[in-house]
Amino acid sequence: SQTIHQWPATLVQPVGSPLSLECTVEGTSNPNLYWYRQAAGRGLQLLFYSVGIGQISSEVPQNLSASRPQDRQFILSSKKLLLSDSGFYLCARTAGFNEKLFFGSGTQLSVL
Amino acid sequence: AQSVTQPDIHITVSEGASLELRCNYSYGATPYLFWYVQSPGQGLQLLLKYFSGDTLVQGIKGFEAEFKRSQSSFNLRKPSVHWSDAAEYFCAVGALRGGSYIPTFGRGTSLIVHP
C-alpha cells in the first residue's frame, strides 16, 4: 500500500520554541514529497517540495525549513516558532509524473 | 510561476440546485489541472483531473469540469447538489519545474448546502 505517516497529529508549542514534524512514506521509491500548510482563509499553501534526497525547494520565504535525509522521509523544522506558524500541516507525495497527490492525515499546530 | 485563483470564498446553494465553482489559473504552458475536495474532518480527495484531450472531464460523485484555454479557467460543475457535497473545494495546477510536476493550490471555496 502507499501510505503516508505523519506525526504528531496535534501539537501545542510556545512562541520561540523549536519544531520538528516528521513524515514518512511507504510503498513507493523516489517519490516527490511536499509540505503544505492549511491556514484559515488562506487555503492550501505549498511550503516546500523535494524531488530527491537532500533536494529541497522552498516556495515561500518564512521561518520554516525542510530536510529529506532519506528517500522516504521528509522533515519540517523551525528553530523558533512564531504565532503565524500556527496551522494545519500536510505532508503529501506523488509517485510519478502527473500523478495525483496523496496526503497524510496532517498535524494541527497551535503556537501560543 | 504558476498560480490559481478561486474567486469565491463561500458558495451557498440549495439541495438539488446546480453548482459551478470557479477556478482561474496562470501558467505559461499547457497546465495540468485538478479539483480536490476536503470534507469536514477528512483528508483531501481527488475529484477529477485534466492532462490533455477532451476538455470536459468527468469525475467522481457526479462532478465534471471544463478546461477553457482561452479563459484560463477550469470550472467545476454539478447538475444537482446533495447535502453531502458540503465541503471545501480546491483547484490546483501542476506545472513542470526541473522535470518534476509541482502542484499549486488555490485558496479554496467553501460550499454550503441548504436543505
Side-chain angles (χ1 to χ4, degrees), chain B residues 26-74:
Chain B
S26 173
Y27 182 54
T30 299
Y32 299 103
L33 297 161
F34 303 79
W35 274 99
Y36 286 82
V37 60
Q38 186 178 34
S39 299
Q42 297 186 25
L44 283 99
Q45 180 182 22
L46 180 70
L47 283 175
L48 47 79
K49 59 185 179 183
Y50 169 79
F51 288 158
S52 64
D54 192 348
T55 56
L56 183 64
V57 294
Q58 302 297 320
I60 62 172
K61 303 183 179 184
F63 285 93
E64 66 177 27
E66 186 172 12
F67 170 57
K68 293 185 177 181
R69 184 187 301 274
S70 61
Q71 299 177 20
S72 298
S73 68
F74 189 56

Side-chain angles (χ1 to χ4, degrees), chain A residues 7-80:
Chain A
W7 66 93
T10 59
L11 189 61
V12 180
Q13 291 285 99
V15 170
S17 64
L19 173 73
S20 180
L21 300 182
E22 193 157 341
C23 171
T24 59
V25 302
E26 296 178 355
T28 184
S29 59
N30 196 31
N32 283 3
L33 297 174
Y34 309 83
W35 277 111
Y36 286 91
R37 177 171 59 202
Q38 188 173 18
R42 297 195 62 187
L44 212 58
Q45 182 184 30
L46 178 63
L47 302 176
F48 301 95
Y49 67 91
S50 171
V51 301
I53 296 173
Q55 300 179 62
I56 308 295
S57 296
S58 174
E59 285 295 293
V60 182
Q62 58 202 319
N63 184 43
L64 302 168
S65 62
S67 62
R68 186 169 178 176
Q70 300 179 42
D71 182 46
R72 299 177 187 179
Q73 185 182 29
F74 203 25
I75 299 172
L76 184 69
S77 304
S78 173
K79 293 182 179 177
K80 290 185 178 182

Side-chain angles (χ1 to χ4, degrees), chain B residues 5-11 20-23 89 107-110:
Chain B
T5 301
Q6 292 180 250
D8 303 306
I9 298 175
H10 302 283
I11 291 282
E20 183 170 37
L21 301 182
R22 295 184 291 167
C23 172
Y89 291 81
R107 294 177 55 168
T109 297
S110 179

